[in-house]
Amino acid sequence: KTAMRPLRKVLKSEFRKGQTTGRFIDFISRETGLKKFMASQVAKIFLRNTVMRLNDAAAAHLVSLLPEKWQDEMAELPAGPNRRINASTIINEIIEFLEIGKDEVRDVIINLCHAFDELLGHDELIYIAKLLPRDMQILIFGADLTSPHARGKELPTRNLKCNLETEKKQPDY
């Protein structure tokens, strides 16, 4: 009976981690209008590139804000900052994954950043964004955060009509 306790604790812990990740993905899915699998992958594209663009300390901070199931995956990325990553890198990867145009991807990114604002916290998002190059700050906030006028910067207005229902094949798992 005592041998089962550690196993139960591990299973319970893994179950909670899965629930946290599921709620994180559900929220991103609702905010972006994407199906759960696609929302998860788009968020990972955005986060993966952002983590690799940040210095080690900032990347570790951002990763610590994510659900535990994503932390291991993000922590395994190459150490940054990778200066070849910019806003275009993220935009083009999302366009390629979703098979959509630039106008549609902007709405997805705005809504994704609103989800991150809620999930990670506005102050945390500003802290991370200020450590990114200008083009990535503009991608997230629609403004250069290094400007003295950008102190309490709000996210760009969401396009609530963004509801992409692409028929991209999803894996069976």
Side-chain angles (χ1 to χ4, degrees):
K1 190 173 182 175
T2 57
M4 291 298 288
R5 282 194 183 137
L7 178 60
R8 262 191 240 140
K9 271 187 167 178
V10 169
L11 291 175
K12 194 173 183 180
S13 174
E14 287 300 312
F15 179 72
R16 270 192 244 114
K17 287 179 192 176
Q19 282 186 318
T20 302
T21 304
R23 286 191 299 267
F24 192 82
I25 293 168
D26 286 346
F27 189 80
I28 292 171
S29 176
R30 279 193 309 275
E31 292 294 304
T32 60
L34 297 170
K35 293 179 182 176
K36 289 179 187 179
F37 171 77
M38 296 178 82
S40 169
Q41 295 307 308
V42 167
K44 285 181 179 182
I45 289 168
F46 190 95
L47 290 167
R48 190 172 44 247
N49 281 293
T50 302
V51 166
M52 289 190 300
R53 184 59 179 93
L54 292 166
N55 65 46
D56 291 343
H61 178 70
L62 174 57
V63 169
S64 75
L65 300 173
L66 301 175
E68 281 188 63
K69 286 201 172 208
W70 285 17
Q71 287 179 7
D72 292 337
E73 182 180 335
M74 297 293 164
E76 292 176 5
L77 294 170
N82 180 342
R83 289 182 170 80
R84 291 178 294 190
I85 294 174
N86 57 35
S88 294
T89 307
I90 295 171
I91 291 167
N92 291 332
E93 281 189 41
I94 293 173
I95 285 172
E96 185 177 323
F97 176 75
L98 292 177
E99 298 174 352
I100 59 174
K102 283 194 177 193
D103 293 337
E104 296 161 309
V105 80
R106 182 68 189 142
D107 291 339
V108 169
I109 291 172
I110 288 171
N111 292 337
L112 178 64
C113 290
H114 274 275
F116 288 148
D117 189 62
E118 288 289 320
L119 292 166
L120 307 178
H122 186 70
D123 292 340
E124 296 288 354
L125 195 60
I126 287 178
Y127 168 76
I128 295 296
K130 283 185 175 182
L131 300 172
L132 294 168
R134 183 175 186 274
D135 68 324
M136 290 180 76
Q137 291 177 14
I138 292 169
L139 180 68
I140 297 168
F141 282 98
D144 177 358
L145 295 180
T146 58
S147 159
H149 306 297
R151 295 221 169 149
K153 190 63 190 159
E154 297 298 320
L155 292 164
T157 305
R158 291 176 41 191
N159 179 356
L160 297 175
K161 293 180 182 172
C162 175
N163 190 6
L164 298 174
E165 291 295 330
T166 58
E167 294 300 319
K168 190 159 178 76
K169 186 93 170 149
Q170 297 181 18
D172 297 328
Y173 59 89

